[in-house]
């Protein structure tokens, strides 16, 4: 149980284009989903927290117009990287907190490797 | 505020020897604590979780961790390293009123045949 999927697992795009990454909770409902970014050989950095049906809360220094987050249902959140540039290349990981589950526990997706040429 | 410090960025052990990955936490109360493992280009897998029910926590793949309040530590151990254990390990603590989690900087475990 508590499986989180991400799609795509890997994406390569041209500079200036937009890329959408999906995060799904497969066997549970997620009231809250989180988006992280991981630079090579670094730890995970929280980008934003999204609650179903409301606007995402972005961490300091994260451009909300650059990284659009939508949490339209209890099992799906999307991250859209708009007008991507090579510096946006990174490993993006989402996580989800189960509705009614332990507040301190997040279930992580397998990550999406974004490469911007 | 809750935080964790992973004392070693890189640990190298020989296959079949014990593993010790160190984590110290900072908290005004006994927190929940987690260890996650990340294999290359993969997502994070939960190894184990401490919730105050027992100070010695057993996880998957033969790993365990002991919560020591007096030392504010939550070190991860395994009696005998396997080649498949080579990965990045993260010590994690809930933060922001349990709305978020804070990751340690990670420890890369290398297992030498």
């Amino acid at each position: 149980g508590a499986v989180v999927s991400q799609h795509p697992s890997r994406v390569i795009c041209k500079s200036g284009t937009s890329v959408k990454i999906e995060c799904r909770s497969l066997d549970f409902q997620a009231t809250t989903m989180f988006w992280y970014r991981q630079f090579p050989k670094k730890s995970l950095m929280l980008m934003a927290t999204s609650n179903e049906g409301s606007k995402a809360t972005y961490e300091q220094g994260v451009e909300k117009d650059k990284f659009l987050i939508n949490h339209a249902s209890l099992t799906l959140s999307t991250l859209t990287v708009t007008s991507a540039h090579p510096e946006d290349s990174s490993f993006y990981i989402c996580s989800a907190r189960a509705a009614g589950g332990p507040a301190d526990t997040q279930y992580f997706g397998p990550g999406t490797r974004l490469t911007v040429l | 505020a809750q935080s964790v410090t992973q004392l070693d960025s890189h640990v190298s052990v020989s296959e079949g020897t014990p593993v010790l990955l160190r984590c110290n936490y900072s908290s005004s109360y006994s927190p929940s604590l987690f260890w996650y493992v990340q294999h290359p280009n993969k997502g994070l897998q939960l190894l184990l979780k401490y919730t105050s029910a027992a100070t010695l926590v057993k996880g998957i793949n033969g790993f365990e961790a002991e919560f020591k309040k007096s030392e504010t530590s939550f070190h991860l151990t395994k009696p005998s390293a396997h080649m498949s254990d080579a990965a990045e390990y993260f010590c994690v603590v809930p933060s922001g009123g349990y709305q978020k989690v804070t990751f340690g900087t990670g420890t890369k475990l290398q297992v030498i045949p």
Side-chain angles (χ1 to χ4, degrees):
Chain A
V3 178
V4 176
S5 70
Q6 281 185 240
H7 179 79
S9 58
R10 187 180 294 267
V11 58
I12 301 173
C13 69
K14 292 182 179 180
S15 185
T17 61
S18 294
V19 175
K20 180 185 284 189
I21 302 170
E22 293 186 347
C23 176
R24 294 181 184 272
S25 55
L26 298 184
D27 50 3
F28 65 99
Q29 292 186 326
T31 49
T32 305
M33 287 185 168
F34 305 83
W35 286 96
Y36 296 84
R37 182 173 180 177
Q38 185 178 31
F39 292 97
K41 300 182 180 180
K42 297 289 185 182
S43 189
L44 279 73
M45 179 192 78
L46 179 65
M47 298 175 65
T49 303
S50 75
N51 291 295
E52 185 265 338
S54 61
K55 290 184 178 180
T57 302
Y58 290 81
E59 295 300 299
Q60 191 172 11
V62 178
E63 300 176 62
K64 60 181 180 181
D65 295 329
K66 173 77 171 175
F67 300 99
L68 300 179
I69 291 172
N70 183 275
H71 192 163
S73 78
L74 286 172
T75 59
L76 174 64
S77 176
T78 60
L79 168 68
T80 301
V81 183
T82 62
S83 187
H85 290 281
E87 57 265 30
D88 298 324
S89 298
S90 194
F91 195 52
Y92 293 87
I93 300 176
C94 74
S95 70
R97 186 162 62 212
D104 60 357
T105 300
Q106 297 180 20
Y107 303 99
F108 288 83
T112 296
R113 172 75 59 192
L114 171 63
T115 302
V116 185
L117 302 177
Chain B
Q2 285 71 249
S3 66
V4 287
T5 301
Q6 291 185 244
L7 300 167
D8 307 294
S9 60
H10 190 107
V11 170
S12 183
V13 301
S14 297
E15 187 177 17
T17 64
V19 176
L20 170 63
L21 305 182
R22 299 184 293 169
C23 172
N24 284 94
Y25 69 90
S26 174
S27 176
S28 56
Y29 54 90
S30 293
S32 301
L33 288 160
F34 304 80
W35 275 100
Y36 284 87
V37 60
Q38 184 181 32
H39 288 91
N41 295 311
K42 299 291 185 182
L44 283 85
Q45 181 182 21
L46 179 65
L47 277 177
L48 50 81
K49 172 183 177 181
Y50 166 74
T51 57
S52 79
T55 56
L56 183 63
V57 183
K58 294 187 182 298
I60 62 172
N61 301 335
F63 283 94
E64 61 182 36
E66 185 172 7
F67 177 79
K68 292 186 176 180
K69 188 174 181 179
S70 61
E71 299 176 8
T72 61
S73 69
F74 189 57
H75 301 335
L76 182 70
T77 60
K78 183 173 180 177
S80 176
H82 192 273
M83 294 300 295
S84 60
D85 295 327
E88 188 91 23
Y89 291 80
F90 294 97
C91 184
V92 177
V93 64
S95 58
Y98 277 62
Q99 296 301 308
K100 307 175 185 178
V101 294
T102 297
F103 282 80
T105 50
T107 298
K108 184 174 183 178
L109 175 64
Q110 180 185 19
V111 182
I112 303 169

